[in-house]
Amino acid sequence: MPNYCQSENGDRKANAKGERRFFQATVSPIFLITLCITATCAANAQESSKNAQSIPRLISQSPAPALTGVASFGNQISLNGRTLPGTWFQRPGKAGQITTHLSDGAFRQLIGVNFLNSSNSARQPIQWFSSVTKPLVLTARLLGAYRYLDITNFAQTFGWEIRTNGNILVIATPKAQITNIVQSQERPEVSAPLQQTRILVDLDRATPWQVAQGSIIKKIETLSLDPDTPTPKSTVPPNREWTITLDGIADPVLIERYTPQPPAAPPVPPTLLPNLLKQLLPVTPTQPIPPPPAPEPLIQQVEVVKNQTIISLSVPFGLSPQVSTVDTPNRLIIDIRPDPLEERDITWAPGLRWRQHYVNLGTERFPVVWLEVNPRKFGLTLKPMWASPDGLAGTAPLIQTAQRYLAVAGINGGYFNRNNRLPLGAIRRDGQWLSGPILNRGAIAWNDSGQFYFGRLTLEETLITANDQRLPILFLNSGYVQSGIARYTPAWGSTYTPLTDNEIILVVEKDQITQQLPGGKVGETVVPIPQDGYLLTLRANAASAASQLPIGSAVSISSTTAPADFSRYPHIIGAGPLLVQNRQIVLDAKGEKFSNAFIAEKAIRSGICTTATGTLMITATHNRAGGYGPNLAEHAQLLQQMGCVDALNLDGGSSTSLYLGGQLLDRSPSTAARVHNGIGIFLKPR
């Protein structure tokens, strides 16, 4: 699945990005009777903490019915000597044969298998060095949070050797040789006006391959010969590195052909250019402008590392590789094009459909990857989820968070502070507020019956004293810091550390103020949060209210939402801005206090919406063909065009992550940032 160059999308105050790290689950390497029961036990162990009684947990998903006769299972795969994350199980088949089942996400990502359209969740047609007209069809089975494909016959067809070593599935594929690499220029299609290039990689046999997006390639600026003339800055976006990795050895001739040449001598520093140079090379209006530098070669290098051939590419902005395979001869086809997204329509589970294609908006074409969910008919439920099991501070890759919660699918959620990793918006689950909304921003609410509500949300909390004094509480468990009173409950974590200087902290236990504490400097004081109460922090001008709240005072809290309809729903995620209501675009980013830069920015976007039939869609929209992603107005129009009746913009840019069955659908995992929270989709056992 190709991915697209992204630009960061987020409010300066209410968004966050971070570097990503890969996640590998930890499951004991033992033989078990059922896969699903063990996975639930592992999650329960990970979720345990000293705040278990106060922080709601999403570990109550019942295990699927027991899969009898399972011989072994695990969550790691050794592919030709490299250990990688991926769930699998084996079970007895016909005539005592052991059948091997691999999670479809790992199969697709690690082997390079192309999934074809399917309306039957129990059968998955695939293409891998085989005919598209006569695809191989693998049996699929849902277990817990994963969909497993029976790869037994597939592995035999291609000569794989498979064995187990504890929780590791050891796969050895036949040694492959890469016999040729040819680059050819393709004529641009009408729908793809930018220059296209095709790379053909010939092999002596089928072999696993992976494609990954790398970092931006920085160019060395050429200095002007005239010290008085500044070197012009390039207005062309830089190229990006992509790597194609194959399990096979390239012919030495190919390695030599694509070995980088030693760099030319560095340009002479301007400080060493004498005035004589100006006399020898006078700059006059009639002097011809030097030609532009030659474009970067597409194939930067071919190298063999640990029995793998790595083809490094330098891909211009607006283009990405689309990789496919054929079998006569065995060949990898790499098309560098502005519209690399391949259309998909796959029923992954009953009521859960994976789709992707281009959506046209005027002359622009936007690649959209989305999941359609029918939560009412097929036992699919949605729950908020967040990164840390011990409180609200923390970020993690969405893959890691989804696997910890045993979600079958999910998308990143609301905004957060990238520095202290704290939430900046509403999170409510099972009727309990984890974090309150800010700035009257857009939010989505829902219940377990599949009913949804969209709007701009405010939480109105009031502290009431025994003599009926009423003081507004402006923020609940929030990283958004302003003057006023904020409240921190055990859902925040076991302790609170001041977020501003000179806060007054009131400890409330069993509805009575038991302590008044000076907060001191930011980050210096650690105050325990009582399990039977909460903390009140009085910031800036609100500190004067401490005299009205002496130790021993009885207090209570009234809480309501605006609009009041939000109070009827147990689950809420806030983000914003609100995009569509009742089929009409209602975008008002300024009213939701987003910055002008955020409003105008063209960036990758995450969205969530409902359709006229009650279906929920979670969407990831990446960079348009040949350009950057949609701005907010374009995002609203795209979702409206896709049939959304109500729609909300979620955190985007490098946070955008659409998860299904162990892998990201919309991008390479290495390009996705760590996020604070998300929305998980869970499959109830049938």
Side-chain angles (χ1 to χ4, degrees), residues 21-270:
R21 61 180 173 81
F22 287 103
F23 168 71
Q24 296 185 359
T26 55
V27 180
S28 301
I30 59 175
F31 298 112
L32 298 168
I33 297 176
T34 75
L35 172 65
C36 303
I37 292 177
T38 305
T40 304
C41 293
N44 283 337
Q46 289 175 329
E47 287 287 89
S48 62
S49 75
K50 54 190 172 184
N51 289 326
Q53 298 299 318
S54 56
I55 304 176
R57 301 296 182 203
L58 193 53
I59 57 174
S60 59
Q61 306 297 317
S62 300
L67 178 64
T68 59
V70 170
S72 57
F73 90 97
N75 65 345
Q76 290 186 308
I77 298 167
S78 173
L79 177 62
N80 295 324
R82 304 180 313 279
T83 302
L84 305 162
T87 55
W88 58 272
F89 72 86
Q90 288 188 328
R91 62 180 299 191
K94 296 178 181 178
Q97 180 193 34
I98 295 294
T99 60
T100 301
H101 306 254
L102 189 60
S103 60
D104 66 345
F107 191 48
R108 183 171 53 87
Q109 294 281 356
L110 303 182
I111 309 301
V113 174
N114 186 19
F115 284 13
L116 304 179
N117 293 345
S118 174
S119 59
N120 184 349
S121 63
R123 292 171 62 83
Q124 180 58 62
I126 65 169
Q127 194 275 326
W128 191 76
F129 296 101
S130 56
S131 171
V132 178
T133 57
K134 295 181 179 179
L136 302 170
V137 180
L138 305 186
T139 302
R141 178 160 189 170
L142 290 167
L143 283 173
Y146 299 94
R147 180 179 182 239
Y148 292 89
L149 302 179
D150 184 346
I151 66 167
T152 308
N153 294 336
F154 175 92
Q156 290 176 350
T157 299
F158 289 99
W160 292 9
E161 295 180 4
I162 296 180
R163 62 181 176 86
T164 60
N165 181 15
N167 76 326
I168 301 175
L169 183 71
V170 181
I171 300 175
T173 66
K175 292 182 179 179
Q177 295 288 326
I178 298 168
T179 58
N180 201 10
I181 301 174
V182 178
Q183 178 178 329
S184 64
Q185 204 71 42
E186 293 290 299
R187 244 172 45 185
E189 300 174 5
V190 175
S191 62
L194 295 184
Q195 192 70 33
Q196 296 176 189
T197 306
R198 169 168 285 186
I199 300 171
L200 304 177
V201 182
D202 290 335
L203 305 112
D204 66 344
R205 66 175 68 244
T207 194
W209 60 270
Q210 303 91 36
V211 58
Q213 180 180 333
S215 57
I216 289 173
I217 299 174
K218 295 183 179 179
K219 297 181 180 179
I220 300 175
E221 298 288 345
T222 303
L223 296 173
S224 170
L225 291 175
D226 183 357
D228 297 329
T229 303
T231 302
K233 297 281 186 182
S234 173
T235 58
V236 179
N239 288 14
R240 185 173 286 275
E241 180 188 24
W242 287 81
T243 57
I244 313 295
T245 304
L246 301 96
D247 280 48
I249 306 297
D251 189 290
V253 173
L254 300 176
I255 297 174
E256 184 177 355
R257 182 191 305 171
Y258 294 107
T259 297
Q261 299 301 312
V268 179

